[in-house]
Amino acid sequence: RDTRIDSFSIRYDKFPLISNAAVRLMAEVEMNLADWIFDFRDNELLINALPLGFDGQISLPPGGGTMMDFSFTAARSDFAAFLSLIPAIYTEDFASLETSGSMALGGSVNGLLKEDQIPSFDLKLNVDNGYFRYPDLPAAVSNVNVDAGFSNPGNMADMTRIDIPLISADLAGNPFQASFSLRTPVSDPAIDMALNGSINLGDIGSFIPLNEEISLKGLIEGSLEAMGNMSSIEREEFHDFHAAGSISARGIEVSTPLLPAMLEIAGAEVQFSPRYLSVNSFESRFGDSDLSARGRIENILSFLLEGEVLTGSFEVHSSYLNINEIMPSVDAEAAAEEDQEVALSVIPVPDNIDFSLDADIQRLIFGKMDMGNIEGHLRLVDSQLMLDQLGLDLLDGRIAVRGSYDTRE
């Protein structure tokens, strides 16, 4: 009759739908154990502060699988119930939130779930003119509007449709608006998306409570459009895929206990096209270290939607790069001892990237090693760092290095 789950999460592929929610199920079930039929009548599922009323039937047919026929709808229509699904907001301060606006949520599931066969489903979410503000903070999030639908006529997952014609909000005077649709997600993802907005990082603390040790500054602006089928990208028929837009950042300063030093991004500009993502400029500092880069990433959409290896090429420059400062877990004393391999083994190389880097580093500090005039080619691929014709000054001499650093198990 009364079942509770303290932490409940649902993911669709790589995307979290519900994260660490408190769930309570109050249900009366009529069970026909001879035919394995379970009837639910006038029951309630409480997810954080969002109550869902549902009824229907679940059965286990003789041919295998699970037959489903049920519907659900939100028993509350206020925006606060929807906000409770967001982990960053559903905290100890949730009860004190000032909120307004309306919400509607409902859906149904009907059909057989068996191996690759899925039942039909239909889920709709609408938020109209949502608003919330913490009483101790000066600014609010307002004009929150959502129109979203997720559906499938049944049988094949490839027939799933995602339609989100509108997501918009005003974050303390920082406007944001986006739309997204997806068709044939398995065989040939067809997307139609747009995003436009800006955020002054210094405003975030005015509408969301932040730890007093966290400091944020700087402006991020972006706009993006993309429409077409992934097969056009794979066949390099770029004229059949539309992609355009840019993201820029300037004056970024991030200080948090999670970082050993302040991260600064004086300026960065990224542009999108059907062929690649172009990093036109990136100027940063981390403590006393500086790093600038430019280059491009070839297959960002295939990486995000289909999990392909991310490929790219960059030119990287630095006048001073202190690895001990950037990665303090690398023990400076241990790195100078004979068991250097033990110290280095804690630095993994990702297995899902293939990046070529042309490096020009005037001075690099690692452990007790002080190296200068580092020039050459590096490649990060398959959990390895490949060094090719890398030259550096060390111990009053010039060294040429070729080899690899392998972190594969």
Side-chain angles (χ1 to χ4, degrees):
R1 173 59 182 165
D2 193 340
T3 302
R4 300 171 187 263
I5 301 175
D6 293 331
S7 181
F8 178 75
S9 300
I10 297 178
R11 297 179 66 88
Y12 177 77
D13 195 11
K14 300 178 182 179
F15 307 102
L17 302 180
I18 296 176
S19 180
N20 299 322
V23 173
R24 181 182 182 187
L25 173 63
M26 292 160 284
E28 291 187 358
V29 183
E30 182 180 315
M31 296 182 290
N32 177 350
L33 297 181
D35 298 316
W36 292 102
I37 298 174
F38 304 87
D39 288 295
F40 297 81
R41 296 286 183 267
D42 300 324
N43 303 287
E44 183 176 88
L45 176 67
L46 183 65
I47 306 175
N48 287 342
L50 174 64
L52 296 174
F54 70 97
D55 59 16
Q57 184 181 92
I58 296 177
S59 63
L60 304 177
T66 303
M67 183 66 71
M68 304 178 182
D69 182 10
F70 62 88
S71 61
F72 58 90
T73 185
R76 286 175 56 178
S77 60
D78 56 296
F79 181 53
F82 170 76
L83 283 175
S84 74
L85 299 181
I86 303 174
I89 295 178
Y90 193 66
T91 62
E92 296 178 355
D93 299 326
F94 182 76
S96 65
L97 273 182
E98 301 172 8
T99 65
S100 64
S102 61
M103 180 273 300
L105 173 65
S108 62
V109 179
N110 182 273
L112 181 66
L113 176 64
K114 182 181 179 182
E115 297 176 351
D116 294 335
Q117 182 178 351
I118 67 171
S120 67
F121 61 83
D122 184 41
L123 169 66
K124 294 187 182 301
L125 169 66
N126 293 96
V127 175
D128 184 37
N129 200 27
Y131 168 98
F132 74 88
R133 187 179 79 86
Y134 288 87
D136 296 332
L137 297 179
V141 174
S142 60
N143 297 321
V144 179
N145 296 282
V146 179
D147 183 6
F150 308 83
S151 64
N152 187 300
N155 193 24
M156 295 189 305
D158 198 38
M159 301 176 72
T160 299
R161 298 166 60 105
I162 299 177
D163 292 288
I164 309 176
L166 176 64
I167 297 179
S168 65
D170 188 299
L171 311 175
N174 297 271
F176 171 84
Q177 184 167 323
S179 62
F180 178 80
S181 73
L182 175 65
R183 302 287 186 273
T184 57
V186 178
S187 63
D188 184 13
I191 65 171
D192 184 357
M193 62 173 292
L195 179 151
N196 187 59
S198 64
I199 180 68
N200 186 327
L201 299 183
D203 290 338
I204 292 178
S206 70
F207 61 84
I208 292 290
L210 295 179
N211 186 304
E212 61 182 13
E213 296 180 319
I214 296 176
S215 175
L216 304 173
K217 294 181 181 179
L219 180 66
I220 299 176
E221 298 176 296
S223 64
L224 173 63
E225 295 178 354
M227 182 173 64
N229 290 70
M230 284 303 306
S231 58
S232 299
I233 300 292
E234 293 166 354
R235 295 192 302 265
E236 298 187 357
E237 296 174 351
F238 301 110
H239 58 278
D240 290 332
F241 194 98
H242 169 72
S246 65
I247 295 177
S248 65
R250 60 181 185 272
I252 305 296
E253 296 182 5
V254 178
S255 179
T256 164
L258 298 177
L259 297 175
M262 176 181 288
L263 171 64
E264 302 175 65
I265 302 176
E269 182 183 356
V270 177
Q271 289 189 320
F272 299 88
S273 74
R275 291 178 179 267
Y276 49 78
L277 182 154
S278 176
V279 181
N280 296 333
S281 65
F282 179 82
E283 304 287 339
S284 68
R285 293 190 64 86
F286 191 80
D288 294 327
S289 301
D290 65 88
L291 183 72
S292 64
R294 58 182 299 171
R296 68 189 195 183
I297 296 174
E298 303 288 346
N299 61 335
I300 184 69
L301 290 175
S302 299
F303 170 75
L304 293 174
L305 296 177
E306 298 185 337
E308 292 188 3
V309 173
L310 190 65
T311 61
S313 57
F314 293 89
E315 296 176 0
V316 179
H317 303 273
S318 175
S319 62
Y320 178 78
L321 197 58
N322 189 335
I323 302 300
N324 300 331
E325 179 181 48
I326 296 173
M327 303 184 70
S329 60
V330 178
D331 191 294
E333 295 295 331
E337 301 296 331
E338 293 181 357
D339 61 344
Q340 289 181 9
E341 293 183 2
V342 175
L344 287 170
S345 66
V346 301
I347 311 175
V349 177
D351 62 359
N352 59 347
I353 64 171
D354 183 355
F355 284 178
S356 294
L357 308 175
D358 287 318
D360 176 13
I361 302 173
Q362 296 178 24
R363 186 184 178 194
L364 185 144
I365 306 296
F366 178 68
K368 290 189 175 182
M369 293 184 290
D370 190 340
M371 296 165 277
N373 298 320
I374 301 172
E375 297 178 338
H377 183 77
L378 303 88
R379 186 181 179 194
L380 299 168
V381 59
D382 191 24
S383 299
Q384 301 175 79
L385 170 61
M386 317 292 289
L387 308 177
D388 184 22
Q389 302 295 337
L390 188 71
L392 57 92
D393 294 340
L394 180 65
L395 300 176
D396 298 323
R398 185 73 178 168
I399 299 175
V401 180
R402 294 188 66 180
S404 66
Y405 166 61
D406 193 340
T407 65
R408 292 175 298 182
E409 294 183 356

